[in-house]
Amino acid sequence: ATVIALIALRTITTVAALWAISALRTLAHARWAVWAIGTGKTASPEQAQQVHAVLRAQLAAASDKAPSIRLLYGGSMNAANAAQLLAQPDIDGGLVGGASLKAADFQAILAAAQ
């Protein structure tokens, strides 16, 4: 796994600990590359999928509740890249920032998610 994937796995430890709480029915885990925050840079769909696949496998190994967890990609998702990112098998949705402020762009992201 890549260094990014290994770092992302650290957060899953906390998520797995929460599964002991009986009231927890569903959970969404949003992840983004630190270098993407506020930069406008986005991981390639392949890079994002690689990290999400590692997270998905770790969740599946930790609990039978893993299928109910939504893995969201955040990191400059926009109208131009949403369809490619959302087409990845382990990306269940997006955490949209600045692109949500532009109605036409946000509408395109919503259409890509359909």
Side-chain angles (χ1 to χ4, degrees):
T2 67
V3 172
I4 293 170
L6 293 174
I7 292 169
L9 282 174
R10 291 181 186 176
T11 63
I12 297 305
T13 303
T14 302
V15 171
L18 292 174
W19 283 327
I21 301 170
S22 62
L24 185 64
R25 301 259 187 243
T26 60
L27 181 72
H29 175 74
R31 65 138 317 259
W32 56 92
V34 171
W35 50 261
I37 299 171
T39 67
K41 295 179 182 178
T42 306
S44 72
E46 295 78 17
Q47 290 170 322
Q49 170 55 28
Q50 180 185 25
V51 173
H52 280 243
V54 169
L55 293 173
R56 177 90 58 209
Q58 185 69 20
L59 288 168
S63 173
D64 61 351
K65 296 179 184 179
S68 67
I69 294 179
R70 312 271 300 153
L71 295 180
L72 309 179
Y73 176 79
S76 298
M77 181 178 281
N78 58 48
N81 62 27
Q84 292 175 330
L85 287 165
L86 295 171
Q88 302 305 308
D90 291 305
I91 297 178
D92 299 318
L95 189 63
V96 181
S100 67
L101 300 175
K102 301 173 187 167
D105 288 355
F106 193 56
Q107 192 171 28
I109 294 168
L110 291 175
Q114 299 295 319

